[in-house]
Each structure stands twice: as C-alpha cells, then as structure tokens.
Amino acid sequence: MPEPKGQLTLHTNGSADDLIELLEWFNEDDDLRGRVELPSNGIRQGQMGDLYDVLVVALGAGGIASALARSLTSWFTVRGSDIAITLKIDGHTELTLDAKRIKAPEVAQTLQNMLQRPRDPQ
C-alpha cells in the first residue's frame, strides 16, 4: 500500500537545540536527507532569534515509515538521555515515543500503521 502524501510533524519535550540535533541526525541518513526540515516560526516580540518547535517530514512513496523508525530508534539509543518525541500527521493522528521505553520493532510497526491509516480529507 503506498504511503499517504502530506506532512508529519515531530515535536520534542526538549529544547530547540534537540530539534536541530535531530535534524542533523536525519540529514546523515540517505533515506531521510532532504525530506525533513526545520521551519521557522519567525522572530516574536522580545526574542533574539527564530523559535523552532517542530520538524516537518515530507510524506510520500518510498518507505519513509521504516526509515524514520530506524533512524529515530538509533537516535534515541545514541542520545542516551530522557526525551520524548510526539509525531502528528497533518495535525491529526498522534504518536508519542519515549526514549525510556523505545523498542525498534514496535516503533517501526506502530509508525507504519500510523502512516497507512486512512485520514479524513481536509
């Protein structure tokens, strides 16, 4: 079954630096390079610079679910700290992954199911 087109957002319970680190991690992965970006929310009054709060993953054909699950579980393992990432598809379906309870096969299957689940048209 082909994967749906749309976008997946990743939000962390950590800082903007955690998102930048995760983006750099994804950019080292041949299957994810160019499919993940860090959109800027712009400078808000009283701030010195951009505020980053999500990564955006472009969905489409090409096995993004397995590549994303593999890369995320590796990042959690290498990172070695307590962090959680919440994934949302087109702002609706949500999945939270916690570094303390990460198991690669379960993440891969859950993420695959999430990406292939039919969604209401917007």
Side-chain angles (χ1 to χ4, degrees):
M1 176 188 301
E3 292 180 29
K5 292 184 179 181
Q7 72 178 18
L8 174 76
T9 58
L10 289 89
H11 176 79
T12 176
N13 65 347
S15 68
D17 291 339
D18 294 320
L19 285 175
I20 292 168
E21 179 184 315
L22 183 56
L23 177 62
E24 290 170 354
W25 179 268
F26 287 150
N27 282 334
E28 294 295 321
D29 187 314
D30 290 339
D31 294 326
L32 296 174
R33 188 178 303 117
R35 295 182 76 171
V36 182
E37 64 181 24
L38 186 66
S40 171
N41 286 336
I43 299 173
R44 296 180 185 153
Q45 186 174 357
Q47 291 180 326
M48 297 292 287
D50 288 346
L51 179 65
Y52 301 106
D53 59 1
V54 297
L55 287 179
V56 177
V57 181
L59 300 177
I64 189 78
S66 59
L68 190 58
R70 177 184 35 77
S71 192
L72 275 173
T73 53
S74 295
W75 185 72
F76 278 132
T77 302
V78 169
R79 185 171 165 79
S81 66
D82 185 22
I83 192 165
I85 294 179
T86 301
L87 299 91
K88 283 187 179 182
I89 296 179
D90 295 330
H92 298 289
T93 307
E94 187 173 301
L95 169 67
T96 299
L97 305 174
D98 187 331
K100 288 182 178 179
R101 293 175 273 289
I102 197 88
K103 293 182 181 173
E106 292 172 13
V107 171
Q109 187 60 53
T110 303
L111 189 53
Q112 189 72 36
N113 293 343
M114 179 182 171
L115 291 173
Q116 291 182 346
R117 185 177 302 130
R119 297 183 315 269
D120 294 328
Q122 295 184 16

